[in-house]
Amino acid sequence: MAVPKLKVGVAGLGRVAKRHARNFLNFTPQAELVAAFSPDPTELAWGRQHLESYGVTLYDDYDKMLQHPGLMAVVIGTATSVHAEETIKAMQKNLHVLCEKPLSTDPRVCREVVAEARKRPHLKVMCGFSRRFDDSYRDAFNKVSQGLIGRPSIVRSQTCDKYDPSGFYVQYASWSGGVFVDMSVHDIDLTLWFLGDDIVPKSISAHGIVAVQPELKKYNDYDNAVGIVEFHGGKIAYFYCSRMMAHGQEDTTEIIGTEGKVSVNTNPQRNLVNYYHAGGITREVPEDFQGRFEKAFIQEANEFTDACLNNKPLPMKLSNAAKAVEIGAYLQEALVTGKQIHFDEFGRRIERPNL
């Protein structure tokens, strides 16, 4: 008797979506990649070369892909500007959805996606925060949950990309939502995971510089930024995001508690090799986030598939994806305006008098 498989379609065939397509095609035994969509002729050409021979049907129209016979789930890796629209369309076709982060750069639109998902509790709708599927982060979370560091009180987390002189990130800044919404949203999601998704911001502040890509100024964005979120109840998160690392990808996190701390990737390495030579000791680091989180993406695909086929709970709440973008948007506002933002115990924004 044949074991049923989740029939999956991938929307978008850009850098991240290609990774999803390969993972569902090659590394997710319970899934079958049956369709892929892209409006870009170059991406479709890649699909014809790498997917079509495996029986994957290619589409240049998203709505037509949603009508693919037997389709059960959609993985959305298109431009952020259409994530919400495509997620809602898929849900309305009774399809499970794995959407790349963020759901939208607009917190209001994120909440609309969450509301739409609540109408369809039988569907599995997940936002792809890949770090939650990383073995090291899960080990750190288990240690925190066991009380090994006492009461977790401070999160210090960063997302730092290797410097790209091509100008890609300058163009990307025109619609990315800014460095905090695009990059630190991962660190914010980790904060909600480690400190509890019920935490409420008390104050938010941020500062940034443009060190290597001055063209970012026209989009009110920065290539380096630091943000601090103080929460009611006595907890703090410190975020650093950068697009100018000379050596490679460096995504690190520390969770500091009343009786100790755990750290993840504070000495980043591509593998376990150290090169000893006359100039010292050298170790290589991943070039980009996919190199760092390759296994996490595969684990994400498998757990999403298992949840869809066997009606298992997803490992994260969709509402957290909306909350992470909301905090990121406030950080971006504080970064651009230079003003600290304040909130009451219920999360409502309040204005402090200027003294």
Side-chain angles (χ1 to χ4, degrees):
M1 180 177 171
V3 177
K5 291 192 174 186
L6 185 74
K7 296 185 182 297
V8 177
V10 171
L13 289 174
R15 182 175 58 163
V16 177
K18 285 176 183 174
R19 174 73 62 182
H20 284 300
R22 289 190 178 109
N23 288 345
F24 276 94
L25 185 65
N26 300 313
F27 304 114
T28 313
Q30 288 186 288
E32 179 185 359
L33 184 66
V34 297
F37 150 77
S38 176
D40 186 314
T42 302
E43 293 180 1
L44 286 174
W46 180 90
R48 283 190 289 272
Q49 181 179 356
H50 297 277
L51 303 178
E52 217 167 32
S53 61
Y54 294 95
V56 180
T57 304
L58 301 178
Y59 294 90
D60 61 4
D61 185 304
Y62 178 69
D63 293 329
K64 289 182 179 178
M65 188 190 76
L66 294 184
Q67 298 171 20
H68 184 89
L71 190 67
M72 301 164 67
V74 176
V75 180
I76 295 174
T78 45
T80 303
S81 56
V82 294
H83 281 183
E85 175 188 348
E86 291 179 348
T87 297
I88 289 173
K89 279 187 175 182
M91 285 190 285
Q92 291 173 343
K93 290 290 185 180
N94 204 38
L95 299 171
H96 305 292
V97 183
L98 168 56
C99 180
E100 259 305 314
K101 67 82 194 167
L103 294 173
S104 169
T105 58
D106 185 333
R108 178 186 58 81
V109 175
C110 290
R111 291 192 291 270
E112 290 175 0
V113 176
V114 173
E116 194 70 27
R118 283 177 177 155
K119 297 177 186 176
R120 298 169 173 82
H122 64 289
L123 292 178
K124 304 299 180 182
V125 184
M126 186 172 82
C127 189
F129 286 102
S130 53
R131 294 179 202 186
R132 291 207 185 211
F133 299 89
D134 177 70
D135 287 343
S136 296
Y137 275 108
R138 286 189 166 181
D139 185 32
F141 180 77
N142 289 336
K143 285 179 168 55
V144 172
S145 299
Q146 292 166 24
L148 299 184
I149 66 167
R151 185 176 67 256
S153 304
I154 306 288
V155 170
R156 181 164 55 201
S157 195
Q158 69 178 45
T159 297
C160 295
D161 290 347
K162 186 174 183 178
Y163 173 59
D164 179 356
S166 70
F168 168 80
Y169 285 119
V170 174
Q171 300 172 26
Y172 184 52
S174 65
W175 51 268
S176 70
V179 287
F180 283 116
V181 173
D182 177 51
M183 301 179 70
S184 291
V185 71
H186 281 292
D187 306 290
I188 299 167
D189 177 67
L190 290 173
T191 301
L192 297 176
W193 193 25
F194 282 98
L195 297 185
D197 53 29
D198 58 343
I199 53 176
V200 178
K202 182 178 180 181
S203 68
I204 292 177
S205 56
H207 300 277
I209 60 172
V210 178
V212 293
Q213 295 182 318
E215 299 89 349
L216 285 170
K217 291 180 180 178
K218 64 183 176 183
Y219 297 114
N220 281 329
D221 207 7
Y222 300 77
D223 51 33
N224 287 266
V226 171
I228 295 177
V229 182
E230 176 192 13
F231 296 97
H232 287 282
K235 298 179 180 181
I236 292 177
Y238 166 98
F239 305 123
Y240 170 48
C241 48
S242 174
R243 296 205 190 276
M244 74 169 193
M245 295 294 103
H247 56 284
Q249 192 78 17
E250 189 175 342
D251 301 334
T252 67
T253 303
E254 290 180 287
I255 302 94
I256 303 166
T258 54
E259 299 173 21
K261 77 172 183 177
V262 294
S263 64
V264 179
N265 202 43
T266 49
N267 291 299
Q269 293 186 214
R270 191 177 74 175
N271 52 37
L272 299 178
V273 175
N274 288 302
Y275 169 42
Y276 294 73
H277 52 92
I281 303 172
T282 303
R283 68 176 185 272
E284 296 179 350
V285 302
E287 285 281 315
D288 55 27
F289 73 95
Q290 294 190 71
R292 167 64 181 89
F293 295 107
E294 181 178 5
K295 292 181 180 179
F297 276 99
I298 293 173
Q299 186 68 20
E300 177 185 70
N302 280 274
E303 291 191 22
F304 173 72
T305 298
D306 191 29
C308 294
L309 287 176
N310 301 306
N311 195 29
K312 292 184 178 180
L314 293 168
M316 64 187 75
K317 297 178 182 178
L318 190 65
S319 57
N320 276 353
K323 188 171 183 177
V325 170
E326 184 172 30
I327 293 174
Y330 281 128
L331 280 163
Q332 197 70 25
E333 179 185 341
L335 175 64
V336 173
T337 64
K339 296 180 179 179
Q340 190 176 51
I341 304 171
H342 301 272
F343 306 86
D344 65 16
E345 293 85 350
F346 301 100
R348 297 174 300 201
R349 184 168 178 167
I350 57 177
E351 297 300 328
R352 292 281 182 88
N354 293 321
L355 299 179

